[in-house]
Amino acid sequence: MLKLSTLALVSVLALAACQQPQPQLGPDGQPLPTAYRITPREEAQIPGRVLGQINALRANVAAPAMMQSPALDAAAKVHARDMAAQNRAWHFGSDGSSPLERVRRQGYMGHLIGENISETYENEITTLNAWMQTRDTRDVIMDPRATEFGIGWYQEPSGKIWWVLITGAAGAPMAMAGGFASGAGI
């Protein structure tokens, strides 16, 4: 009898372990989105995925391909962390700095085209797609003068991600050509 009870208990536990967790539903009855988590492996892959997507979009309109700029990456990463510290997505640093000042600090000697920012729980491709839905943010990405970009992010423990994309033109004199544009999640 003890063996039969043990067998029944083990069977019930095994079946319970096989059940898929049910997603939480929002007030509209739809599953609530889950926050995208950036793993160390993902961190290494994000810039390449963004580069591939941006250049595919630009190829559709015969705009030249862009290359990744370490200086623009650095400026974007610093600003993403600073926006998180300020708890607001905007184009000015906590020290009052503009995008132009931030890229200069990182040693970027080219022409600044523009900056896109976002506060979201979504991955880089979903964020890029959201930026492409709004003219101001799309123009920063698609400007045919842009030859370089930088991508930066900061993920809070809550899962919220602060994204920054900066575009520029290598070798041109330093000046602000485009504009600032906010995007997804703001």
Side-chain angles (χ1 to χ4, degrees):
M1 184 65 148
L2 184 58
K3 287 183 181 180
L4 188 56
S5 300
T6 304
L7 181 60
L9 180 60
V10 168
S11 297
V12 168
L13 290 174
L15 287 174
C18 292
Q19 268 188 332
Q20 296 289 333
Q22 297 299 318
Q24 280 188 305
L25 300 179
D28 60 357
Q30 297 297 314
L32 292 174
T34 56
Y36 170 70
R37 287 285 175 186
I38 300 173
T39 65
R41 181 176 175 221
E42 290 283 312
E43 284 187 25
Q45 296 173 350
I46 289 171
R49 286 195 299 250
V50 171
L51 177 64
Q53 288 292 315
I54 286 175
N55 284 338
L57 291 165
R58 290 171 63 86
N60 288 332
V61 295
M66 283 200 278
M67 295 176 26
Q68 193 171 356
S69 163
L72 293 178
D73 279 345
K77 287 176 185 174
V78 167
H79 190 55
R81 184 175 274 281
D82 190 45
M83 287 191 309
Q86 296 180 69
N87 197 33
R88 65 177 166 177
W90 74 322
H91 295 283
F92 297 95
S94 56
D95 62 355
S97 61
S98 69
L100 182 59
E101 292 167 318
R102 290 192 302 275
V103 300
R104 270 196 192 135
R105 285 181 195 159
Q106 298 302 325
Y108 187 70
M109 302 309 289
H111 184 76
L112 179 63
I113 301 294
E115 174 181 79
N116 287 347
I117 59 174
S118 181
E119 171 188 359
T120 185
Y121 290 87
E122 299 170 329
N123 69 20
E124 73 283 359
I125 301 304
T126 304
T127 302
L128 180 60
N129 286 335
W131 284 332
M132 290 301 292
Q133 301 305 310
T134 304
R135 182 173 182 187
D136 290 343
T137 52
R138 182 178 52 248
D139 287 352
V140 169
I141 297 164
M142 301 302 287
D143 190 313
R145 297 171 297 168
T147 59
E148 298 181 303
F149 82 99
I151 184 80
W153 62 89
Y154 176 74
Q155 186 164 34
E156 295 179 353
S158 69
K160 183 190 291 186
I161 307 170
W162 301 83
W163 294 101
V164 177
L165 176 87
I166 303 173
T167 59
M174 181 61 101
M176 184 67 186
F180 312 130
S182 300
I186 296 178

